[in-house]
Amino acid sequence: VAKMACRLSLTEEDFCCPICYDIFRDPVLLACSHSICNICVKTFWNRRGTQDCPICRTVSSNPNPPINIVLRNMCDLMREETTQEPPVETVEVCSLHGEPLTFFCTEDQELVCGKCRNAKSHKNHRIRSTEDALNLLIFCLHQFLETEEAARTTALKKEEEQKSEIIKKKTEEIRSGMLSLSQIIESIEDQLRRNDFTFLVVRSHTFLEQQINFAFYPIPLPASHILQSKMHLTFDPNTAHPYLLVSDDLTSITYSDEHFPQLPANPERFDGYTSILGSEGFNSGTHCWDIEVGDSTAWAVGVITESAYKHRQTPSKTGLWYVGFCNGKYGKGCSPQILTLLRVTQRIQRIRVQLDWDKGKVTFTDSGRDIGLHMFKHRFTERVWGFWTAIMNEHVLVLG
C-alpha cells in the first residue's frame, strides 16, 4: 500500500534525468540534493571543466558523488514496467548552457543550442535547424551520388565499347585465319587429285594480248595507326616497265607496247615483268589499299621486299607475296615464279592488300564482298613495297 501511495504521488518527470530526459540510470545525489545520471553528470563536468550542478550551478566538492539508491530502485522498477514502450531519443546538450543542441551553424560547422544561436560568437552566422541542415545534407549527398553514378555509367559504357571493338577485331582475325587454313587444305586436296602443283608462271611473255584495269583507293585505318600509314598512294616512275606510261601527277599509268618514249635505262626499272612499285616503301605500321581489277584477264598484286626487288633478275625463293589471276584461275604465292591454287567461288572485282609490317602479316581480301582470300605470315626485317604486275592494251591504271 505504501508503495502504491508513493507511485501515485510522483509524476513521470520525477524519474527523468534533467540532462538526457530519460529514466535515471545509476542516479547520483549531488550536494545540492539534485539527482543526475552518473554518466550524464560526468560528461557535463568533463565538458565544462568544473564540478557544478547542471541545474542550480552549485559546485560539488566530491568528484564521485554517491548513488541515490532509493531513486535508482524506483527507476529500475519503472523501467521494467515500460520495457514495451519505445525508448526516448537521447538529445545532446550544450556544454555551456545545458540546453539541447537543436541548431546548426553552417559557418562554424557545429551544433548549437538556442542561447548559442543568439550569442555574439555566432552573430551574423547562418543558423539552420538541425532538421533543415540534415535535409540539406541528404540533398547534397543525393546530388553527389547521382553525378558519380552518371560518371561511372559513362566510363563503363566506354570501356564496354572498347572491349567490343577489340573482340570484333580478334573475331575477324580468327575468321580470316580459319578461311586461309580452309583454302590451304582445299588447294592441297585439289593438287593431290590432279597431281598438278603449278598453274601460273608470272612472266611478261605469258601476258601478251591480255588486258587489265586497276584503280587504287586509300583505305581509312584505325586512329592508332594513322601516323604510320600512307593514306595517299602514287607510282614510282623510275621503277615502271618501259611499256607503262606514268602520268605527270604520278597517279595513273597507261599501257602501250607500240608507242612509248625512249626512257633512261636506270637500274630501278622493271624490264622482265610489266610491273611498277609504289612511290614509298614501309618498314613499320599498317598500310592498306584496294585494287579494282574488274573483268581483267590477267593480273598479280602484292608486296615485295627491298632485297627481292634489287635481285629481281635472279629471283629468290622468298621476298614476294602476291595473289594473281590468269587463264581463269586464281592463285597465291610467295616466290617470283610459281603460284598455288586459290579457291574462289565468285569472280573478284576488287581486291584489298593490307600490310601489317610489325606483326608480319600480308592479308588479301575480296573487298567487294568482304571475304578473306589468304594471309601470309613472315617476320619482316627490311623495307617492303607495294607491287603490281599487268599487261594492258591502252587501258589506264589510276591511283585513288
Side-chain angles (χ1 to χ4, degrees), residues 23 79 115 133 171 266 278 299-300 308 363:
I23 298 176
R79 190 175 291 108
K115 291 182 179 180
T171 303
N266 53 296
W299 49 266
T363 305

Side-chain angles (χ1 to χ4, degrees), residues 250-313:
L250 308 180
T251 60
S252 65
I253 59 174
T254 304
Y255 174 84
S256 174
D257 58 357
E258 295 181 357
H259 305 289
F260 56 91
Q262 293 295 325
L263 300 175
N266 53 296
E268 298 92 345
R269 191 177 306 282
F270 282 97
D271 55 5
Y273 300 96
T274 311
S275 305
I276 190 171
L277 297 185
S279 59
E280 290 190 43
F282 310 106
N283 57 8
S284 64
T286 302
H287 313 272
C288 186
W289 57 89
D290 274 10
I291 304 101
E292 191 79 35
V293 296
D295 297 326
S296 304
T297 57
W299 49 266
V301 297
V303 297
I304 187 172
T305 61
E306 192 166 28
S307 60
Y309 164 63
K310 289 182 178 179
H311 298 87
R312 58 191 178 278
Q313 303 301 336

